[in-house]
Amino acid sequence: ILDNWKYHKSKVASYWLVKLDSTKQRKVLDIVRTNVRSALQRIWREPDVESLHLYRLFNRIFNRLLWSHGQGLWNCFSNTG
């Protein structure tokens, strides 16, 4: 996909922005959020990761990725130059 991104970009955009509704987008990011949370718990040996500043930063990032029907996440993957 990376080698032919210009060819695949419209198909990926159509899937993420049009076919995948906001509930499904949130579920995808929730899976990633759970994995990040688990990794932070293992690395910092902290049962309550909500108290970690790094975890709060990740939460802000995940929330911003969902703005405008997933446009935030799409912008992360678009190749502008």
Side-chain angles (χ1 to χ4, degrees):
I1 290 179
L2 292 177
D3 293 337
N4 297 318
W5 180 242
K6 288 183 181 182
Y7 172 75
H8 295 292
K9 184 176 180 177
S10 63
K11 293 177 184 179
V12 172
S14 172
Y15 181 77
W16 180 259
L17 296 173
V18 178
K19 293 180 183 171
L20 211 59
D21 63 7
S22 61
T23 303
K24 291 179 183 173
Q25 289 174 351
R26 185 170 302 278
K27 286 181 182 180
V28 169
L29 282 180
D30 283 343
I31 292 168
V32 176
R33 186 186 317 243
T34 301
N35 289 335
V36 167
R37 179 187 174 100
S38 175
L40 290 176
Q41 284 176 326
R42 281 193 315 269
I43 293 168
W44 271 270
R45 296 182 185 357
E46 178 70 38
D48 183 27
V49 294
E50 283 85 9
S51 64
L52 294 174
H53 181 68
L54 183 60
Y55 182 74
R56 291 192 302 269
L57 289 174
F58 274 117
N59 265 340
R60 288 175 57 194
I61 290 168
F62 290 132
N63 290 335
R64 287 181 183 175
L65 291 176
L66 289 173
W67 66 264
S68 187
H69 187 65
Q71 186 67 42
L73 184 61
W74 174 250
N75 290 346
C76 289
F77 293 109
S78 64
N79 186 5
T80 57

